[in-house]
Amino acid sequence: MEEATALKNQGNDAFKNKDWPKAIDLYSQAIDKYDKEPSFYTNRAQAHIRLEAYGYAVADATKAIELNPDFVKAYYRRAVANTAILRHSDAIHDWKIVVKKQPSDKVARAQHDACQKVIKRDAFLKAIEAPDAPSAAEGLDLANMAIPSDYDGVKLGDEMTLEFVEDLIERFKNGKKLPLKYVYQIVLAVKDICYNEPTMVETHVDQGKKITVCGDTHGQYFDLMEIFRMNGRPSADHAYLFNGDFVDRGSWSCEIALLLYAYKWLYPKSMFLNRGNHETDDMNRMYGFEGECKAKYNDRTFKLFSESFSALPLATLIGDKYFVLHGGLFSDDNITLDDVRKLNRHNQKQPGQSGLMMEMLWTDPQTAPGRGPSKRGVGLQFGPDVTKRFCEKNGLEAIIRSHEVRMDGYEEEHDSKCITIFSAPNYCDSTGNRGAFINIEDDYKLQFKQFDAVKHPDIKPMAYASSPMMGMM
């Protein structure tokens, strides 16, 4: 117990220094020395929460509760983790216990009340859900929508222009918004463009040109500007692929989504957008994008974005060599690129809890061979043998995916056949990671570029999230 406690204390120091993987390793060593102390598990659960390994956090908190059914912190951790993966009915069970055991805890009471509201809201939305509901664009008369007299930006006609995009970049840097008419025009134009693209877009890099692959940007607009400053802006000769999770968490999600969409409209053949697990309704309601749309524009804006997210492709194949998708590989070795090509994503607007779309948006690599349960509590994990077989069967050099923080901004795993790229440095203003992107020229060699977070206006991440807990995680 004495040796274990010393390791736990070292883990606490690593946690304070935001070195979550080291903290987890030290807490795990403490548990190996002495596995009957519940606080070792709740501390490790908190570190897992910081790394968004919510499934592991639930398992650790449950073990702590088994060791001590009166340990309030364990119920607290489990409730937080279940809230994060949208298991609100499980979370409310634990919030009730916390509130009962600690009636003076105002934060727990606020979480309990927020969770109750979400459960009621979700039940209401499910009750009124109609499979053939009309588009949010129905009834819009864009031609006769007025532009406010105080709008001082470039005018937008029936086609996107480079002048408008460049003005938009500066406008957003200065905290200005777009007229609603222009917001609607941009989202609807890109929805139509993306809807008509295949589920897996296939592209090549011509001589003298290049494509840049970016991972999650998560509403960190000023860090996106740093990518463009370092690497150049999108153009007909310099393609960009943004591999999902443009929105949520960061508090400039509207700005990123609108700018990427404006570029997509301007350069439909050299701006590529893959859907991520955060381009989905349930995540947007919890992690801030819905609230941000309503705060900066209106509810219709969110609904139009939601429809456009459902139109986004799920993957991009670069030069027949690199399969790029947000999450990762599949639960079945028999799935091939042809199955992705044939997938009709328009039949399923939201990814659900199973199936190819869910796996493409949610899965993660693991070091052990085979497949395992998801550390997130959603989807699954796949090992190096799974990646090797998929690449060999499909003639690929590697898969490129995002979906997870990497402290260096990127990581080559599974004998360099599984590459994770993450482009939100100092994620949520708290993680301390670098960001990265990949340049691919006509020789198809991967060039990794790292960058650090830049200063941004004093608006905290999760400023528009629906739950107060989300801003604390």
Side-chain angles (χ1 to χ4, degrees):
M1 180 61 180
E2 187 176 336
E3 291 178 21
T5 301
L7 286 164
K8 182 201 77 169
N9 291 337
Q10 291 176 46
N12 290 348
D13 290 339
F15 189 94
K16 290 173 186 173
N17 290 327
K18 301 180 180 179
D19 191 342
W20 323 122
K22 184 177 180 181
I24 288 169
D25 180 57
L26 288 161
Y27 294 141
S28 298
Q29 289 182 50
I31 289 167
D32 288 341
K33 294 283 185 184
Y34 185 79
D35 62 2
K36 299 293 189 290
E37 172 51 50
S39 66
F40 296 170
Y41 293 94
T42 54
N43 285 16
R44 190 169 69 177
Q46 182 68 346
H48 281 312
I49 287 169
R50 293 292 185 178
L51 288 175
E52 299 185 8
Y54 302 118
Y56 287 174
V58 168
D60 273 346
T62 300
K63 179 64 177 178
I65 290 166
E66 290 171 1
L67 291 169
N68 181 359
D70 293 321
F71 193 31
V72 177
K73 187 178 286 187
Y75 293 101
Y76 204 107
R77 295 277 186 269
R78 192 166 69 177
V80 168
N82 274 319
T83 298
I85 53 178
L86 313 181
R87 291 180 178 165
H88 303 297
S89 58
D90 292 331
I92 197 66
H93 172 269
D94 288 337
W95 287 128
K96 286 177 179 176
I97 293 172
V98 174
V99 168
K100 185 176 180 180
K101 290 180 178 293
Q102 294 185 336
S104 62
D105 188 331
K106 293 181 180 178
V107 174
R109 170 59 67 181
Q111 284 309 309
H112 172 276
D113 294 348
C115 192
Q116 284 277 39
K117 286 180 181 178
V118 169
I119 290 171
K120 289 178 181 177
R121 180 203 67 195
D122 288 350
F124 172 74
L125 290 172
K126 189 173 183 180
I128 64 170
E129 193 175 69
D132 299 318
S135 167
E138 192 167 295
L140 267 182
D141 184 7
L142 285 176
N144 291 309
M145 279 189 72
I147 300 299
S149 58
D150 61 350
Y151 174 68
D152 56 356
V154 172
K155 300 292 191 295
L156 177 63
D158 293 331
E159 297 292 334
M160 183 56 63
T161 66
L162 182 59
E163 182 188 17
F164 183 89
V165 174
E166 291 179 343
D167 180 72
L168 185 68
I169 287 172
E170 296 307 312
R171 188 171 193 82
F172 286 163
K173 281 183 185 177
N174 295 322
K176 295 181 178 181
K177 296 188 294 185
L178 274 183
L180 271 174
K181 176 177 179 176
Y182 293 168
V183 171
Y184 296 159
Q185 276 185 270
I186 292 168
V187 177
L188 289 171
V190 173
K191 174 189 168 186
D192 288 343
I193 292 168
C194 291
Y195 188 94
N196 290 310
E197 290 181 322
T199 295
M200 182 177 73
V201 174
E202 302 183 45
T203 188
H204 292 77
V205 184
D206 295 331
Q207 188 172 1
K209 298 184 179 183
K210 70 177 176 180
I211 184 170
T212 298
V213 181
C214 296
D216 304 32
T217 49
H218 274 303
Q220 296 185 196
Y221 181 79
F222 294 87
D223 296 316
L224 173 62
M225 291 300 99
E226 179 67 1
I227 295 174
F228 290 162
R229 185 195 68 79
M230 288 176 60
N231 197 52
R233 294 178 180 176
S235 69
D237 292 331
H238 183 177
Y240 270 82
L241 164 57
F242 285 86
N243 193 29
D245 284 12
F246 330 124
V247 301
D248 281 339
R249 296 197 181 276
S251 294
W252 290 271
S253 293
C254 287
E255 286 77 6
I256 282 191
L258 287 168
L259 178 58
L260 296 185
Y261 274 27
Y263 269 125
K264 178 66 179 175
W265 191 4
L266 182 62
Y267 302 120
K269 300 300 183 185
S270 59
M271 170 61 87
F272 304 101
L273 304 173
N274 284 346
R275 190 178 189 179
N277 67 303
H278 277 268
E279 280 71 53
T280 56
D281 286 356
D282 52 0
M283 300 298 278
N284 294 159
R285 290 188 180 115
M286 178 62 68
Y287 288 96
F289 185 57
E290 180 185 43
E292 184 179 335
C293 285
K294 290 179 178 179
K296 293 179 178 177
Y297 296 103
N298 59 18
D299 184 52
R300 177 176 248 163
T301 297
F302 171 68
K303 290 177 178 175
L304 290 173
F305 265 121
S306 171
E307 293 176 21
S308 74
F309 290 163
S310 296
L312 293 174
L314 302 180
T316 302
L317 183 64
I318 300 177
D320 299 319
K321 295 175 181 288
Y322 301 108
F323 179 51
V324 188
L325 74 172
H326 182 70
L329 295 180
F330 310 99
S331 56
D332 184 348
D333 275 346
N334 292 318
I335 300 299
T336 67
L337 293 182
D338 275 341
D339 293 299
V340 177
R341 289 185 180 101
K342 294 172 186 173
L343 177 63
N344 186 347
R345 69 191 187 279
H346 303 311
N347 286 340
Q348 184 182 349
K349 293 183 178 179
Q350 302 301 321
Q353 296 297 310
S354 62
L356 287 191
M357 184 188 292
M358 182 279 291
E359 292 176 359
M360 293 176 73
L361 299 186
W362 276 100
T363 61
D364 296 293
Q366 64 181 24
T367 56
R371 294 176 173 87
S374 172
K375 62 188 175 186
R376 298 174 187 271
V378 183
L380 57 96
Q381 296 181 182
F382 58 95
D385 55 328
V386 176
T387 303
K388 182 180 179 183
R389 288 193 296 270
F390 184 84
C391 288
E392 288 176 350
K393 182 180 286 189
N394 293 281
L396 298 169
E397 290 193 14
I399 68 163
I400 300 174
R401 41 90 64 182
S402 302
H403 195 39
E404 292 181 279
V405 176
R406 290 293 187 263
M407 294 309 292
D408 291 326
Y410 73 96
E411 186 175 1
E412 297 179 87
E413 303 169 79
H414 297 182
D415 297 321
S416 296
K417 292 187 179 300
C418 178
I419 294 150
T420 298
I421 190 77
F422 193 82
S423 304
N426 195 26
Y427 179 47
C428 291
D429 286 358
S430 64
T431 306
N433 61 293
R434 301 193 79 189
F437 52 88
I438 306 171
N439 282 329
I440 305 174
E441 298 181 0
D442 54 24
D443 61 0
Y444 289 100
K445 303 297 183 187
L446 302 183
Q447 305 167 37
F448 297 97
K449 305 290 183 182
Q450 296 169 294
F451 66 104
D452 294 311
V454 296
K455 288 184 178 179
H456 60 71
D458 189 21
I459 302 174
K460 303 300 181 192
M462 308 296 288
Y464 304 96
S466 66
S467 169
M469 180 57 67
M470 294 300 102
M472 300 168 64
M473 286 164 47

